Amino acid sequence: MTDEVTDEVTRPARSARQLERERIRRRQAVRSSSIATASTIVFLTLVAVLVTNSPGWPRVRETFFDPEWFVRSLPDVLQGFWTNVKIFLIAEPIILVVGLLVALARGLRAPVFFPLRVLAVVYTDVFRGVPTLLVIMLVGFGLPALQLTGVPSDEITLGVIALVLAYSAYVAEVFRAGIDTVHPSQIAAARSLGLSHGQAMRHVVLPQAVRRVIPPLLNDFVSLQKDTALVSTIGVIEALRQAQIYAASKFNYTPYLVAAMLFILLTIPMARFTDYLSARAARRRGPGGA
Amino acid sequence: MTLLRIEGVWKNYRHQSVLRGIDLDVAPHEVVCLIGASGSGKSTLLRCVNLLETIDDGAIHLDGDEITDVRADVDEVRKRIGMVFQSYNLFPHMTVLDNITLAPRKVHKVDRARAEEQAGELLARFGLADKAGEYPDRLSGGQQQRVAVIRAIATQPRLLLLDEVTSALDPILVTEVLSIIRELKDTGMTMILATHEMNFARDISDTVCFLDGGVLLERGSPEQIFSSPEHPRTREFLQRVLDAGRL
Ligand SMILES: Nc1ncnc2c1ncn2[C@@H]1O[C@H](COP(=O)(O)OP(=O)(O)O)[C@@H](O)[C@H]1O
Ligand SMILES: [Mg+2]
């Protein structure tokens, strides 16, 4: 650390050769950014010209890009979207906990836990195989039909249950992959210090595993944010459903565009954050790899 | 008096017996060096003593208790044994201080303040006082291995196992790790070391054991083993080491 600072201070004036080099580099940087700008403009213009000159464009503009309908439907779709956000915010923490527990259950080797382990394996196999939409419909229509006492009947709760069932299976696999990347020598070191299996997991394996799986987990979050729209099939009035109501009665599809835009606005920050974390992790590992 | 008694220990991997009836007694404060070619079973023997491997026959006793008893509590046994690995195996997500205090706090239930105080004393004693807050990847290999040694002795084990602790280090860093081991010997720590550093083995051990193909072929004082080995295989091995310039 201190070496770098003194280097900076005592560094002699740059030679003419280095100054020339830096001047050329600056010029190249300016040139590449102007090329990027120009090519983006050309590309966007081309797309715009192509779309607006297509034979169906006037009709599409009317039904999908109607400013009046945009403004009129926005409050209702936005209100519906709040339901999507709520479902996401409730489901996500539960998914993280359930996913982690399932991943840990799969790692239990003691004979007492045998049923738990089998249950975890069967659960992940089943729910990774069934399409999310199907899980939602089975839970949404099937669970209330059982007429068991204590089983919730409101659609939002049922939707959350279905999403938790579907997504925890994926998240469990992500956690398990993360746990597998921690080298066995770390466990050997922890156990040799007298830590139990549980303590070694908690203090040594999981902290390292979780750090490594944050980018793929965030990726699943993004996916979940979108899939909250699937609960519209069991009657939850969320953004997609609101847009559908408008579209069906007024024969205008602009509300769909409104809903799409809201989803994009929600997922973009998450996607950028994921990129940032991945890039940071790659930098940490350095050019030589882990 | 014996601290550790290894009796007729066998260890098999699939079709191969890696340890073939090892007998070895270690007295309190004794330093035993295991020498032998790569693959002769040194690491496996140490891992068996620490119950990281289950043995296939024989028995191991620590302080008179059979630790290889299938009903023995392995965590309880490992509390009394420290181990240092060739590749340090520090926990990369923890600072040096947390690496050292983890077992005292979580296993031996020492409160944090006391554990950190003791860790601080050990770090200072081994010239690492300024590294307490660093993460392992900011340390040199020699420093990491010294931290690993401190971590292993922070719980005051009855016995310390060291598995080629200098093999992954640049020659220039080897000395600093060896000097900490020498210091441990002076404090009376009972140790079993697997090592390729023959000069060090000659210098520090009370007993040298030569392992060959999973058999403890010859044992004796360092003078005896290095100056007048009885077994032709031992002579051959030492000659090869000598030719390689490591003695
Ligand atoms: N987990 C394992 N599975 C199969 N064979 C192993 C395993 N660990 C060690 N061995 C074998 O056991 C023998 C002794 O290995 P080891 O104890 O590491 O020797 P040393 O430490 O003396 O170099 C070697 O032949 C090695 O291939
Ligand atoms: Mg070895």
Side-chain angles (χ1 to χ4, degrees):
Chain A
M1 286 299 286
T2 41
D3 295 351
E4 284 164 31
V5 173
T6 38
D7 260 7
E8 193 64 32
V9 172
T10 57
R11 192 169 75 174
R14 281 160 297 178
S15 67
R17 182 198 292 164
Q18 180 62 18
L19 287 172
E20 170 67 7
R21 211 178 263 148
E22 284 170 14
R23 201 176 55 77
I24 295 174
R25 267 197 207 121
R26 267 196 307 276
R27 212 170 54 207
Q28 281 172 340
V30 169
R31 219 179 57 196
S32 30
S33 64
S34 27
I35 290 176
T37 313
S39 75
T40 309
I41 292 170
V42 169
F43 176 76
L44 289 179
T45 314
L46 258 168
V47 171
V49 167
L50 215 69
V51 170
T52 52
N53 284 322
S54 63
W57 171 244
R59 177 109 191 82
V60 168
R61 190 181 50 194
E62 208 171 290
T63 47
F64 280 92
F65 295 93
D66 188 328
E68 194 199 328
W69 277 109
F70 190 97
V71 174
R72 277 172 68 179
S73 65
L74 185 62
D76 283 339
V77 176
L78 195 61
Q79 200 187 10
F81 189 66
W82 176 233
T83 305
N84 293 81
V85 173
K86 266 195 302 200
I87 291 175
F88 170 75
L89 290 178
I90 297 168
E92 189 55 56
I94 304 176
I95 289 167
L96 283 176
V97 173
V98 175
L100 184 59
L101 290 178
V102 171
L104 288 175
R106 286 192 77 156
L108 295 174
R109 285 283 163 263
V112 225
F113 298 123
F114 180 75
L116 221 64
R117 209 168 85 215
V118 172
L119 194 71
V121 173
V122 171
Y123 164 73
T124 37
D125 282 355
V126 168
F127 282 91
R128 277 193 312 160
V130 181
T132 309
L133 183 58
L134 248 169
V135 176
I136 289 172
M137 290 169 94
L138 286 173
V139 171
F141 299 132
L143 217 51
L146 292 174
Q147 297 189 325
L148 288 169
T149 47
V151 168
S153 58
D154 87 286
E155 295 84 5
I156 294 187
T157 311
L158 290 167
V160 167
I161 292 174
L163 287 172
V164 167
L165 283 173
Y167 268 82
S168 298
Y170 286 104
V171 168
E173 286 304 286
V174 171
F175 275 126
R176 201 161 69 100
I179 289 170
D180 286 347
T181 63
V182 178
H183 199 269
S185 64
Q186 286 284 308
I187 299 171
R191 297 307 298 274
S192 80
L193 287 167
L195 274 74
S196 65
H197 171 81
Q199 287 176 318
M201 269 291 167
R202 167 142 185 263
H203 299 293
V204 175
V205 177
L206 280 182
Q208 297 183 57
V210 167
R211 252 161 255 218
R212 283 176 215 178
V213 298
I214 285 175
L217 277 183
L218 289 178
N219 211 23
D220 279 351
F221 284 15
V222 171
S223 183
L224 175 67
Q225 288 176 348
K226 294 186 298 181
D227 279 358
T228 55
L230 295 176
V231 300
S232 62
T233 48
I234 57 170
V236 177
I237 313 289
E238 43 68 75
L240 174 60
R241 190 83 195 109
Q242 281 287 6
Q244 251 169 356
I245 292 170
Y246 266 93
S249 58
K250 314 291 194 295
F251 302 103
N252 189 288
Y253 300 121
T254 308
Y256 284 140
L257 201 80
V258 175
M261 204 193 65
L262 291 174
F263 277 106
I264 290 173
L265 285 180
L266 185 66
T267 52
I268 283 181
M270 191 75 103
R272 287 288 81 77
F273 186 56
T274 311
D275 288 351
Y276 161 76
L277 286 180
S278 304
R280 200 182 60 171
R283 255 202 324 278
R284 285 244 176 102
R285 281 194 298 275
Chain B
M1 208 174 71
T2 48
L3 184 114
L4 183 79
R5 162 160 290 167
I6 301 175
E7 271 178 348
V9 163
W10 283 73
K11 175 69 193 174
N12 308 320
Y13 285 119
R14 292 179 186 277
H15 310 292
Q16 176 199 12
S17 290
V18 174
L19 298 177
R20 306 162 160 269
I22 303 279
D23 291 300
L24 177 65
D25 280 5
V26 181
H29 314 301
E30 187 178 359
V31 175
V32 175
C33 276
L34 305 175
I35 62 169
S38 176
S40 56
K42 305 181 295 294
S43 301
T44 307
L45 182 58
L46 294 180
R47 292 173 66 86
C48 286
V49 171
N50 203 17
L51 306 182
L52 287 171
E53 305 285 348
T54 48
I55 59 174
D56 293 296
D57 204 352
I60 302 175
H61 302 264
L62 180 68
D63 284 322
D65 309 327
E66 192 196 331
I67 60 174
T68 44
D69 185 324
V70 285
R71 285 155 305 189
D73 178 353
V74 291
D75 296 332
E76 199 54 48
V77 171
R78 292 196 189 112
K79 280 188 197 176
R80 294 186 275 157
I81 302 178
M83 179 143 183
V84 185
F85 302 85
Q86 183 174 343
S87 49
Y88 336 133
N89 299 1
L90 293 180
F91 307 132
H93 60 295
M94 291 182 188
T95 62
V96 164
L97 194 62
D98 287 343
N99 262 279
I100 298 171
T101 59
L102 179 68
R105 285 189 290 122
K106 302 298 171 188
V107 180
H108 298 263
K109 310 296 177 199
V110 179
D111 68 80
R112 183 183 273 275
R114 183 91 193 91
E116 292 188 345
E117 186 192 320
Q118 286 169 338
E121 281 165 15
L122 286 170
L123 284 167
R125 202 168 108 208
F126 296 114
L128 292 164
D130 55 332
K131 303 295 180 198
E134 291 283 12
Y135 283 87
D137 62 359
R138 298 289 305 267
L139 304 180
S140 74
Q143 290 168 337
Q144 289 191 49
Q145 195 58 295
R146 279 145 73 198
V147 171
V149 173
I150 293 173
R151 180 175 72 175
I153 60 169
T155 53
Q156 295 160 345
R158 297 278 292 147
L159 171 70
L160 188 62
L161 310 172
L162 302 114
D163 190 2
E164 293 189 21
V165 291
T166 57
S167 302
L169 297 175
D170 289 340
I172 200 158
L173 299 176
V174 167
T175 355
E176 64 185 56
V177 174
L178 294 186
S179 73
I180 181 172
I181 297 171
R182 200 168 275 128
E183 201 166 328
L184 288 180
K185 179 188 163 76
D186 295 340
T187 66
M189 178 68 78
T190 313
M191 293 186 274
I192 308 179
L193 305 87
T195 185
H196 282 147
E197 302 285 338
M198 295 304 157
N199 281 322
F200 181 67
R202 175 150 65 185
D203 193 36
I204 197 175
S205 6
D206 300 306
T207 309
V208 177
C209 297
F210 173 64
L211 273 167
D212 184 59
V215 178
L216 212 166
L217 263 194
E218 188 167 356
R219 80 191 72 191
S221 67
E223 299 75 42
Q224 206 179 316
I225 299 289
F226 289 108
S227 313
S228 49
E230 280 171 12
H231 208 284
R233 297 280 297 170
T234 318
R235 279 199 290 274
E236 200 181 305
F237 171 74
L238 290 173
Q239 187 59 48
R240 258 189 292 136
V241 173
L242 200 63
D243 292 345
R246 296 187 76 153
L247 192 67

